[in-house]
Amino acid sequence: MYALIAVILFIDMAILVLSNGYSGGSYSVMHYQFARWAFTNPENLLNSWANPFFTLLAAPFALLGFKSLQLMNIILGILSGYFAYRVAKELKMKSPLLALVICSFTPVFMMTFYGGTTEIMFAFVAILGTFLLIKNKFFAGAIVISLLPLIRLDGLILLPVYAIYFIRWRKIKFLPLLLSATVFYSLIGMLFGKEIFWLFDGVKIWSDSIFGHGPFYQYILRSPGFFGIPNEIFFVTGLVAGLWLYIRERNEYSQEFVLVVLPFVIYFLAHSFAWWQGIGNSQGLSRYMAAIVPFMAVMATRGLYLFAKMFFIIFKSEAVRIGALILGFASIIHIPFAIQNYPVSLSSTDWALSDAAEYIKANSLDTKKIYYTDPAVFYFLNKNPKCNSCIEVKNAEQLKLMQNSDLLVFDVTFATLKGINFDSVLYSSRYKLIQVFKPETPAQTFGKPYFVALLERSDIDSLTMLENQKIISGANKSYATLVKYDFDSSTPTDTITVSTSKINRTAYFRIPKRNRNYLVSETKLDTINPIQPITLKVSYRQFRKTSDENLRYFVEAVSNESTLYKRVFEVDTPAQANPDEWHDISFILILHNIEVTPELVIRTGFWNKRKGEFLIDDYKVEVAVK
C-alpha cells in the first residue's frame, strides 16, 4: 500500500511540476481567489457560492499560490483512494488495494486534481464518512457527513441516503447530527448579519435552463470518457455481482448497498435529472462525477477481481489469473494518459483571459479602475478581485456607474449570465474598444464565439463605433498570406479531388468520406516577421454534404523534427447550415510561446476523422504581421 501511494504521489507531483495550466476553467480560478484572499477579505469565508468549508480548508494552501491548492487536491485525492481501499478491506473484498489504484487513475478524478474546484474534497469527505460508519463510529461519521453541503451544496442529495443507514441500524439518535455543520454555519452567518438561510443565497432549484439541457441518459453516454472503459467494465461487473450477493445474502451486502452503491447511484441520477430538466444551474459538466469516484472504485474492485478469477476458472492456471490482474492494472493506469493531455496546459478560453491580463500589465493599465465580468482575469494579474479599484459587474445597469477612462474587461460567458449584451456596449458610442482577445482555438459559449474584450469608457464620439468595428473584425491588423487556393488558378499538388459540378461551375476541393488529412501545408515564418503570439487566420467556403458531420482542423509547430505545439479541434458549422448551401467560415488560431526561428515550420490542414463529405473553396491561411 505504501509503495503504491509513493508511486501515485510521484506521478501526480511530476505532472504538477510540469503543468502550466489548470483544469476546471474559470470556476477553478474563482474558488482559488476566494481562498487566496480569505484572510484579506474575511467575508470570503462566509460566501455561499464559494462553499464555506472548502474555502476554510483551502485558504492556507492558496496563500502559497495555485499550485499549492492543486497540491491540496492531490493529497485529498490520494487519501480518497486510501479510504476507498480501507472501505473495500472492511467489506472483505479480495485484493482491496485495487480500489486505491482505480480511484487514483480514474480519468475525471485525476484531471480534477489539477484544478481548484470542490469535487475532490467532496469525494474525500464522502468516502471518509462511509468508512467511519462501516467502523460503527456513528457520531464521528455523522459529523463528517454533515460537512458535505458546505463543500458542495449538492451534498444535500446524499444526506437522506446516509439517514437511511442510521435508521436501518437503529441509530436514530444520531440523525440530527447530519445537519449539525449546516446549522452551525447558519448561526455563524447570522452573527455577522446574514439571514438564517444565507447558505442558500442565489439558489433556484427550478431555475431556467440558462446553461441548456440534454437527455437524461447523457451522463451514461459520456461516462466512458470520464470513468474510462476498463473502469466501467469492472464497475458494472462488480455492481451486478454485488446485487446478486444481496439477493443471496442480504445482511452481508446491505452495508455496502447503503453506504457505497446508493450514494453513487443517487448522486449520478440526481445530476442526470438536473441536466435533463435544466434545473439547479446544472451545466452538465463531466467533473461533477469526480465527487463519487471513490464509491465507483470500491465497486470496481470486486469487478476487477472477478475479471481475473474468470480467467482462472477458464484456464485453470494461477499464472493466467495473475496475468489478467496485471492486464487490468495496466489498462486502469494507462487510460487517463490515453484520453487526456498531461501535463495540464491552459484551456483555449483561459488563454484569452491570460492575454488580456498581459496586455493590461504591459500597458500599465492595472492602475485604473477596472470593471469586470469574469474575476479569473485577476488571477493572471495577481491581484485581489475585491480591491478598491476592482468592481464586479453584476448587471447591465451597473455599467452606468462607470466614469471616463474606467476600463471594462468583458467576456462572453459571464456577461451573458449577467444579462449584458456586447453589441449594446460596443455600439453605444461611450465605450472605446481597446483590444479583443480570442481563445487559442475557436470556442463557443451559449452558441456565440467566445472572446474577451477590453474597453474604456469615453466621451461620446461618432467615430468610436466605426473604430470599434474595425478592431472586432480584425481590419486594423495586417496579414501575410501563407496558403491560398481558389482551385481555379491556384491548386494544391494533389489535384485528384479538385472538380466542378453543374451547380458550381468554379472548381472546388472535395474531401471524401475517408479518415485522413487534407490540404496539408507547411510554411516557414522567419522572413515574414509575425507578431507574437503567432496569430493565424483561416478562412474558406464550405459545402457540407452530410448534415450531421463536422470537419476537424489541425495546426502544428515543428522545429528540427520536434513538435513544439499541436492542436486539433472540431470546426463548428454555422447553425443555419444545411447540405444545400455554401457557407463562409473564418476563425483565428493563436500559438503561444513559439519562437520564430529559421527551423520553425507551421503545418496546417483538415482532418476528416468522422468520415463526412465536404466541398472546400477559396481556402486561405494568413498570419498576422507587424
Side-chain angles (χ1 to χ4, degrees):
M1 180 192 66
Y2 293 115
L4 274 175
I5 289 176
V7 170
I8 293 167
L9 180 61
F10 175 80
I11 292 172
D12 293 338
M13 288 296 293
I15 294 172
L16 177 62
V17 170
L18 295 172
S19 297
N20 62 1
Y22 49 84
S23 62
S26 291
Y27 290 98
S28 277
V29 173
M30 290 167 69
H31 278 292
Y32 163 72
Q33 288 175 318
F34 272 107
R36 166 65 181 85
W37 303 101
F39 298 113
T40 304
N41 307 112
E43 64 271 19
N44 289 3
L45 295 169
L46 295 177
N47 185 283
S48 59
W49 183 93
N51 308 110
F53 189 73
F54 174 87
T55 305
L56 177 66
L57 291 190
F61 289 91
L63 273 177
L64 300 177
F66 204 150
K67 281 193 180 292
S68 179
L69 182 63
Q70 292 170 317
L71 175 61
M72 181 197 76
N73 271 335
I74 289 173
I75 294 170
L76 291 178
I78 293 175
L79 286 174
S80 299
Y82 167 75
F83 281 104
Y85 149 73
R86 292 294 302 274
V87 167
K89 189 175 181 180
E90 291 296 326
L91 294 174
K92 298 180 174 58
M93 292 185 180
K94 304 291 184 181
S95 304
L97 275 176
L98 294 173
L100 171 60
V101 177
I102 293 170
C103 184
S104 299
F105 289 99
T106 295
V108 69
F109 199 65
M110 186 173 174
M111 178 56 78
T112 311
F113 288 174
Y114 304 101
T117 52
T118 58
E119 287 82 9
I120 301 299
M121 186 182 291
F122 185 97
F124 165 69
V125 171
I127 196 66
L128 175 61
T130 286
F131 170 73
L132 291 172
L133 293 183
I134 288 175
K135 296 288 287 184
N136 295 323
K137 296 180 179 180
F138 295 99
F139 179 84
I143 295 296
V144 167
I145 291 164
S146 73
L147 296 171
L148 289 175
L150 303 177
I151 300 171
R152 288 183 59 83
L153 194 57
D154 49 12
L156 292 170
I157 298 169
L158 297 188
L159 295 189
V161 176
Y162 286 105
I164 292 172
Y165 185 79
F166 285 105
I167 296 170
R168 169 68 177 78
W169 262 258
R170 297 182 176 85
K171 301 293 181 181
I172 297 178
K173 65 180 180 179
F174 295 104
L175 277 176
L177 292 177
L178 292 176
L179 295 174
S180 58
T182 300
V183 172
F184 178 71
Y185 260 85
S186 297
L187 294 176
I188 288 180
M190 291 179 66
L191 292 177
F192 289 91
K194 291 180 174 286
E195 300 290 335
I196 187 170
F197 295 113
W198 68 270
L199 285 169
F200 306 96
D201 285 349
V203 175
K204 297 179 181 179
I205 297 179
W206 300 102
S207 56
D208 296 332
S209 306
I210 189 167
F211 294 105
H213 59 91
F216 181 80
Y217 51 80
Q218 179 163 308
Y219 275 112
I220 296 175
L221 294 179
R222 286 163 40 200
S223 59
F226 50 76
F227 287 146
I229 293 176
N231 288 342
E232 288 227 323
I233 294 173
F234 304 141
F235 156 66
V236 173
T237 303
L239 180 61
V240 172
L243 292 175
W244 175 248
L245 179 65
Y246 181 68
I247 294 172
R248 289 175 51 201
E249 303 176 51
R250 183 167 301 182
N251 288 334
E252 184 176 338
Y253 185 68
S254 56
Q255 238 188 351
E256 180 180 344
F257 181 76
V258 177
L259 292 180
V260 177
V261 177
L262 272 186
F264 178 91
V265 172
I266 296 301
Y267 183 96
F268 190 95
L269 292 178
H271 274 282
S272 297
F273 181 81
W275 177 240
W276 175 41
Q277 294 296 314
I279 62 175
N281 287 336
S282 174
Q283 299 181 52
L285 299 176
S286 297
R287 65 173 168 83
Y288 296 160
M289 296 299 114
I292 51 173
V293 163
F295 299 111
M296 183 274 294
V298 173
M299 290 183 277
T301 295
R302 177 182 282 114
L304 178 51
Y305 175 79
L306 292 176
F307 170 80
K309 189 175 181 179
M310 177 186 67
F311 281 87
F312 176 78
I313 294 172
I314 295 173
F315 296 99
K316 309 294 183 184
S317 170
E318 181 66 13
V320 173
R321 187 189 74 84
I322 294 174
L325 205 58
I326 293 173
L327 178 64
F329 251 92
S331 65
I332 290 167
I333 295 172
H334 163 74
I335 197 67
F337 300 98
I339 65 178
Q340 294 170 333
N341 293 321
Y342 291 105
V344 181
S345 59
L346 287 180
S347 71
S348 179
T349 53
D350 290 329
W351 269 117
L353 290 165
S354 175
D355 288 343
E358 288 300 319
Y359 185 93
I360 291 172
K361 287 188 290 186
N363 292 275
S364 302
L365 299 176
D366 50 339
T367 57
K368 292 191 174 188
K369 184 175 288 188
I370 300 176
Y371 287 73
Y372 63 90
T373 53
D374 186 346
V377 71
F378 290 98
Y379 164 68
F380 299 104
L381 288 171
N382 194 25
K383 195 172 184 179
N384 185 351
K386 291 187 178 180
C387 67
N388 292 333
S389 60
C390 307
I391 302 170
E392 181 182 3
V393 179
K394 298 181 179 179
N395 52 62
E397 287 296 312
Q398 201 170 349
L399 295 177
K400 296 178 180 178
L401 301 176
M402 292 182 66
Q403 303 295 318
N404 283 358
S405 80
D406 288 349
L407 298 179
L408 171 62
V409 182
F410 172 102
D411 83 294
V412 173
T413 301
F414 282 85
T416 303
L417 290 174
K418 295 168 183 179
I420 303 171
N421 184 286
F422 180 67
D423 289 341
S424 65
V425 175
L426 186 67
Y427 301 120
S428 68
S429 300
R430 291 297 305 270
Y431 296 92
K432 179 183 177 182
L433 182 60
I434 299 175
Q435 190 62 271
V436 172
F437 306 93
K438 299 290 182 86
E440 190 179 41
T441 57
Q444 289 204 341
T445 179
F446 300 112
K448 303 175 183 177
Y450 178 88
F451 60 85
V452 176
L454 178 63
L455 303 104
E456 182 181 33
R457 184 68 179 250
S458 63
D459 292 324
I460 295 177
D461 188 338
S462 59
L463 295 178
T464 297
M465 289 190 294
L466 182 60
E467 293 300 319
N468 288 355
Q469 184 59 42
K470 287 181 179 180
I471 295 173
I472 198 72
S473 65
N476 63 325
K477 290 185 177 180
S478 298
Y479 287 90
T481 301
L482 302 180
V483 181
K484 184 177 181 180
Y485 298 132
D486 62 10
F487 306 107
D488 291 302
S489 59
S490 57
T491 61
T493 305
D494 179 12
T495 58
I496 296 175
T497 54
V498 175
S499 57
T500 60
S501 68
K502 292 181 179 179
I503 298 175
N504 204 81
R505 296 295 183 180
T506 60
Y508 53 79
F509 187 90
R510 183 175 63 86
I511 296 181
K513 293 183 178 180
R514 294 198 189 105
N515 184 356
R516 53 167 290 192
N517 294 335
Y518 297 90
L519 293 174
V520 178
S521 61
E522 296 184 355
T523 53
K524 292 191 172 186
L525 306 178
D526 55 309
T527 61
I528 300 177
N529 198 22
I531 63 171
Q532 286 287 352
I534 298 172
T535 302
L536 301 178
K537 181 179 180 181
V538 181
S539 58
Y540 57 93
R541 300 184 69 226
Q542 176 180 287
F543 189 104
R544 188 171 64 170
K545 300 192 73 175
T546 47
S547 59
D548 57 347
E549 300 288 348
N550 281 334
L551 268 176
R552 293 193 173 195
Y553 198 83
F554 69 87
V555 57
E556 300 176 5
V558 181
S559 181
N560 293 324
E561 298 184 358
S562 176
T563 301
L564 307 178
Y565 179 96
K566 184 176 182 178
R567 293 290 184 274
V568 180
F569 62 95
E570 191 170 295
V571 181
D572 289 322
T573 305
Q576 72 276 17
N578 64 65
D580 299 319
E581 295 179 0
W582 284 89
H583 291 275
D584 293 320
I585 294 178
S586 179
F587 52 84
I588 298 293
L589 303 173
I590 301 175
L591 285 61
H592 291 88
N593 302 323
I594 302 297
E595 183 182 356
V596 178
T597 64
E599 295 79 24
L600 180 68
V601 174
I602 303 297
R603 182 181 295 127
T604 58
F606 294 96
W607 178 26
N608 190 16
K609 180 183 179 181
R610 299 192 177 180
K611 300 183 180 179
E613 187 173 358
F614 306 85
L615 308 181
I616 304 295
D617 201 0
D618 297 330
Y619 172 61
K620 184 161 58 173
V621 181
E622 302 169 281
V623 61
V625 294
K626 296 177 182 177

